């Protein structure tokens, strides 16, 4: 390995820059730049080297977000073309392979690769990522980068929403609370799938997360919103600055004596909270622990700090005159389903005291216990 991020935190590396400048000389072709940068990333044990090279080169060339990655992936599988070969009768893919990077494109690509070789997450470098059916969701440091397994959580909650829709008789939308929204990925993905049926309220303790979530909501939901403006979007999705602990009407007073600070009556609660146990934080890769928010990752000694807050607030958040069951869906550490099943065992004193019981757990696509369903009593 040429370079370790911990050797040069917070800045670029002259060693990396020199290597990249040598390996990616002026007027290098797109195809050669792709192959050489891929080898550099592989030689330095950078995670997901192929995906990194493809996305970063597409970004430097300003190819379309929808097609650039796929074009370069196809290019990667083609025989290397000579830049002096005739272009007569060649395909657009062959022309792209022989195209030389401009000086500006080369400079940009080298700077992007340099950041990636310092283990900066690809999503932060590019500034956007695809999640569920959201193409180009905006991503900013230090909010967590959306992960594929969280798309599975969206699918589980979406199936729950679909069940409710089939039997829905109330004169209002299905209300969903997303606790710890970050980029807004979970709540916006659900609202994007059911814009006419759900209203999502999202919480986060970081002002920049609330701003980013509302910005992403405006990007993806404005066409479904009444009036095509932010007022309309807020009818479908709104992120607010608040912690799970403070999202309560207990002990609060407003200007009007009998009014409540927050509207509750949520039908579904969903959360991808900080859940990594403290002792496991040291095992995280540099891409994660040195860039993403520590507070959004670590859930305390056993990883359950925020989850406990959520459990204790669930009865208030979901209270209504309806006798219909209310559920909470959580993404958790694989050690948590067993702990939650023991703590909130159906019929137990603790479950009755909390007003919440464990229903079941679900595995992610890697076979790990990753999701939990709770029922509010």
């Amino acid at each position: 390995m040429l370079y370790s991020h911990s050797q040069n935190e917070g800045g670029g590396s002259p060693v990396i820059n020199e290597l990249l400048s040598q390996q990616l000389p002026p007027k290098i072709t797109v195809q050669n730049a792709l192959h050489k940068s891929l080898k550099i990333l592989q030689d330095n044990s950078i995670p997901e080297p192929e995906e990194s090279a493809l996305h970063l080169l597409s970004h430097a060339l300003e190819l379309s977000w929808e097609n650039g990655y796929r074009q370069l992936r196809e290019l990667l599988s083609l025989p290397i073309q000579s830049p002096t070969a005739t272009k007569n009768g060649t395909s657009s893919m062959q022309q792209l392979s022989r195209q030389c990077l401009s000086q500006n494109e080369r400079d940009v690509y080298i700077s992007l690769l340099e950041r990636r070789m310092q283990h900066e997450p690809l999503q932060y470098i590019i500034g956007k990522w695809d999640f569920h059916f959201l193409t180009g969701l905006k991503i900013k440091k230090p909010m967590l980068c959306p992960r594929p397994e969280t798309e599975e959580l969206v699918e589980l909650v979406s199936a729950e929403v679909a069940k409710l829709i089939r039997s829905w008789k109330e004169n209002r939308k299905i209300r969903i609370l997303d606790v710890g929204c970050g980029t807004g990925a979970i709540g916006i993905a659900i609202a994007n799938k059911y814009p006419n049926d759900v209203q999502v309220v999202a919480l986060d303790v970081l002002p920049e997360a609330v701003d980013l979530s509302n910005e992403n909501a405006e990007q993806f939901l404005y066409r479904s919103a009444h009036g095509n403006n932010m007022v309309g979007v807020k009818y479908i999705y709104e992120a607010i600055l608040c912690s799970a602990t403070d999202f309560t009407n207990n002990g609060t007073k407003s200007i009007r004596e009998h009014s409540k600070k927050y509207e509750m009556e949520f039908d579904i609660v969903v959360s991808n909270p900080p859940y990594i146990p403290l002792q496991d934080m040291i095992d995280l890769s540099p891409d994660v622990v040195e860039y993403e928010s520590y507070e959004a990752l670590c859930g305390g000694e056993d990883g359950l700090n925020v989850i406990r807050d959520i459990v204790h607030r669930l009865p208030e958040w979901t209270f209504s005159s309806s006798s219909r069951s209310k559920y909470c869906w959580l993404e958790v550490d694989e050690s948590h389903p067993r702990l939650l099943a023991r703590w909130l065992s159906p019929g137990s004193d603790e479950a009755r005291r909390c007003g919440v019981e464990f229903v079941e757990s679900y595995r992610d696509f890697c076979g790990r216990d990753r999701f939990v369903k709770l029922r509010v009593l």
Side-chain angles (χ1 to χ4, degrees), residues 104-115:
N104 181 65
E105 289 169 343
R106 174 178 174 267
D107 291 344
V108 170
Y109 190 40
I110 287 174
S111 71
L112 298 177
L113 286 169
E114 188 173 353
R115 290 170 65 183

Side-chain angles (χ1 to χ4, degrees), residues 271-273 275 304 307 330-337 340 369-372:
S271 182
N272 178 14
Y275 61 67
L304 288 169
I307 293 173
L330 300 169
E331 181 173 326
V332 297
D333 183 77
E334 55 188 317
S335 66
H336 290 163
L340 290 168
D369 276 334
R370 181 63 66 205
F371 313 107
V372 162

Side-chain angles (χ1 to χ4, degrees), residues 142-155:
M143 276 65 76
L144 295 191
C145 301
R147 289 164 169 80
E149 56 266 33
T150 305
E151 295 187 38
E152 295 182 82
L153 178 62
V154 169
E155 284 299 314

Side-chain angles (χ1 to χ4, degrees), residues 311-312 314-315 343-344 349-356 376-377:
V311 168
H312 291 142
L314 281 174
W343 175 34
L344 301 172
D349 290 341
E350 273 297 291
R352 284 193 293 269
R353 185 180 68 82
C354 293
V356 179
V376 184
L377 301 177

Side-chain angles (χ1 to χ4, degrees), residues 46-64:
I46 301 301
E48 301 177 325
E50 185 173 303
E51 188 170 18
S52 297
L54 291 168
H55 273 295
L56 294 179
L57 184 54
S58 176
H59 194 62
L61 295 173
E62 296 184 352
L63 301 178
S64 75

